[in-house]
Amino acid sequence: AQSEICGNGVDENCDGQDLEQPDEYEPNDSCYSCYYLGDDPDITLYPTTDVESDVDYFCFDGKDGTNVPGFGESIKVDLTDQPIGMDNDIFLYKGYEDCESGTPIASSVTVGGQDESITWKEATWSDDGGIFIIKVVPYEASSCYEPYILEIDGLN
């Protein structure tokens, strides 16, 4: 029997599916199963996209600090160092309802495997606090062994 190669989208051993190798953040394939990062994280993650259908969700609580009009806090999300051939896009949602309905407050969708970046800034009092969800969507290719880098700087 031919051995299975993880993440290439081919079923080499004819068992009906490509080999998957979930990363340490799984299961995080929906808004409500997002990988929880705590309060306003300042963190670097190294997730993998093991199959092209592996959408990743990460979430955190935005704790309001100061919101003086014109000087609101911001959230920054950077997706860098994607494995060659991979093209992930990122979306930022405020709350589970907007995530479920697919209504982002910000997104970064570039063609090809270029870096993605979101900087979202509070504009009104209603922007303060709450749950924020980051969705990483694979557009092309996958890799079980080479992670992409996701840097998240919460509501600060």
Side-chain angles (χ1 to χ4, degrees), residues 4-13 15-21 50-52 142 144:
E4 193 81 29
I5 298 171
C6 187
N8 67 352
V10 178
D11 180 16
E12 286 93 355
N13 66 1
D15 69 351
Q17 61 188 16
D18 185 19
L19 179 64
E20 295 181 23
Q21 184 173 323
D50 61 347
V51 291
E52 279 192 48
S142 57
C144 291

Side-chain angles (χ1 to χ4, degrees), residues 2-109:
Q2 194 168 1
S3 63
E4 193 81 29
I5 298 171
C6 187
N8 67 352
V10 178
D11 180 16
E12 286 93 355
N13 66 1
C14 302
D15 69 351
Q17 61 188 16
D18 185 19
L19 179 64
E20 295 181 23
Q21 184 173 323
D23 61 32
E24 64 189 285
Y25 310 106
E26 297 289 349
N28 66 338
D29 297 328
S30 72
C31 298
Y32 286 100
S33 70
C34 57
Y35 186 84
Y36 184 67
L37 301 170
D39 295 346
D40 291 327
D42 185 1
I43 192 168
T44 301
L45 306 174
Y46 301 91
T48 58
T49 303
D50 61 347
V51 291
E52 279 192 48
S53 60
D54 182 18
V55 177
D56 289 332
Y57 291 83
F58 301 92
C59 53
F60 64 91
D61 277 310
K63 298 297 183 185
D64 187 40
T66 306
N67 190 351
V68 178
F71 297 96
E73 296 176 299
S74 62
I75 293 171
K76 185 156 176 53
V77 181
D78 290 309
L79 188 151
T80 60
D81 293 344
Q82 298 183 71
I84 292 173
M86 191 176 291
D87 179 10
N88 287 325
D89 298 319
I90 52 176
F91 300 85
L92 177 65
Y93 300 93
K94 185 165 192 311
Y96 293 107
E97 285 182 16
D98 284 355
C99 182
E100 285 285 309
S101 69
T103 311
I105 55 174
S107 62
S108 177
V109 179

Side-chain angles (χ1 to χ4, degrees), residues 122-142:
E122 290 179 327
T124 66
W125 295 108
S126 65
D127 290 339
D128 289 348
I131 193 91
F132 290 90
I133 303 164
I134 298 154
K135 177 181 181 182
V136 180
V137 180
Y139 178 74
E140 189 171 16
S142 57

